[in-house]
Amino acid sequence: MKLIQVRKGQFVYYNNELHKVYSVKAMFKKSVHLYRLKDMQQVLSKASDIQLYKPKNLDSFIFYGKRYTIDQNKKPEAGDYILIVKPAPDFLDHYSLNEIEKVDNVEDGNVVTTRDNGVKHNEYVLMVPGKMDNSQDISYLDKSLLSPNQQADDEALENMPTIDTQVKPVVGDIFLDIEEKTKAMIVAMTDDEVVFGHGVTVHVTKLMDEDKFSLIYRSEEDL
């Protein structure tokens, strides 16, 4: 499905692989900022180069190295991941379309996530680890276009460290940008981005790539 209006959070296909829209910057030629769900690799694109996909029950895909299957009927438990498909956040909650969040606790089907968001039972679907029976793999738009080794390589991403097991960045941390050979302190953050003191904004998952960034000083170490 070609997009007329691109919205943050939409699942889309770009270069035959499943991506998520991270932001839209209308003033640029390549205005759509995506990240590939399987490994969080970022890319800039145009709306004409992507195709919309709306996730549904029993869809299976790779998220940051781990395969999950959507199960809209199963109840979550603490430690599970949910996909927020019908966001209706209250005033103090901060989440949007297709956010993937980890469950901290559950009460009557409503959950509180590890980001302190309260998500009602009708707003999310559960992401069950692995590939379930009768599931549909939505990692690729057209599997016939895959190289002989690509699918096997993607499934081998299981060894990728998960975001939750790594140290989360906080304001005051100092990082070395290995490519630019510059050191900078985080001065502001959103759920998905960090802003460095010299004005550069970086997606939080990019900081986890040890080939691109190195943590020099952890501001919470002395607390």
Side-chain angles (χ1 to χ4, degrees):
M1 183 188 302
K2 290 295 184 181
L3 284 169
I4 298 175
Q5 184 175 6
V6 183
R7 178 185 172 192
K8 179 181 176 180
Q10 288 173 324
F11 277 18
V12 298
Y13 285 107
Y14 174 77
N15 283 351
N16 200 45
E17 294 188 294
L18 191 64
H19 289 67
K20 180 180 171 183
V21 177
Y22 167 58
S23 65
V24 181
K25 303 183 185 298
M27 69 285 296
F28 297 105
K29 184 177 180 181
K30 289 190 174 182
S31 61
V32 186
H33 187 178
L34 311 172
Y35 62 83
R36 190 166 59 185
L37 281 170
K38 74 177 184 182
D39 58 5
M40 297 305 204
Q41 180 176 315
Q42 300 177 75
V43 65
L44 293 175
S45 175
K46 297 181 294 184
S48 59
D49 293 334
I50 59 181
Q51 287 184 259
L52 175 66
Y53 183 81
K54 295 183 178 180
K56 59 184 183 298
N57 191 40
L58 294 179
D59 280 348
S60 176
F61 59 94
I62 300 171
F63 169 63
Y64 206 67
K66 304 292 188 293
R67 179 169 288 282
Y68 296 89
T69 301
I70 293 173
D71 189 338
Q72 66 184 23
N73 299 313
K74 190 174 181 181
K75 303 301 182 185
E77 298 178 356
D80 288 339
Y81 283 94
I82 58 171
L83 176 68
I84 302 174
V85 292
K86 296 179 180 178
D90 292 331
F91 179 71
L92 296 176
D93 295 318
H94 302 281
Y95 57 86
S96 56
L97 178 66
N98 289 333
E99 293 277 8
I100 295 174
E101 297 209 10
K102 191 173 185 178
V103 176
D104 183 65
N105 61 77
V106 186
E107 184 175 347
D108 296 329
N110 304 315
V111 306
V112 176
T113 73
T114 55
R115 293 180 179 176
D116 291 326
N117 284 318
V119 186
K120 295 178 284 295
H121 64 89
N122 60 333
E123 295 181 77
Y124 69 85
V125 291
L126 181 64
M127 292 169 52
V128 178
K131 193 169 186 178
M132 296 171 56
D133 293 339
N134 301 319
S135 62
Q136 174 186 341
D137 188 358
I138 62 167
S139 301
Y140 321 98
L141 179 61
D142 185 349
K143 283 190 175 183
S144 69
L145 299 178
L146 295 178
S147 65
N149 297 323
Q150 182 179 354
Q151 189 168 2
D153 290 344
D154 287 349
E155 298 294 343
L157 290 172
E158 284 285 341
N159 295 324
M160 179 184 293
T162 62
I163 297 172
D164 289 314
T165 62
Q166 303 191 45
V167 177
K168 297 288 184 68
V170 296
V171 171
D173 287 355
I174 299 175
F175 280 83
L176 169 67
D177 185 330
I178 296 171
E179 294 178 344
E180 299 296 330
K181 296 181 173 59
T182 58
K183 298 177 184 178
M185 177 184 289
I186 297 175
V187 296
M189 290 187 65
T190 68
D191 285 343
D192 302 306
E193 291 181 322
V194 301
V195 181
F196 285 114
H198 59 313
V200 174
T201 300
V202 176
H203 194 275
V204 68
T205 55
K206 191 173 182 181
L207 292 181
M208 307 302 177
D209 188 338
E210 295 180 350
D211 293 328
K212 293 183 171 61
F213 286 90
S214 176
L215 178 64
I216 295 176
Y217 173 75
R218 176 70 174 169
S219 66
E220 290 187 342
E221 285 182 343
D222 299 327
L223 296 182

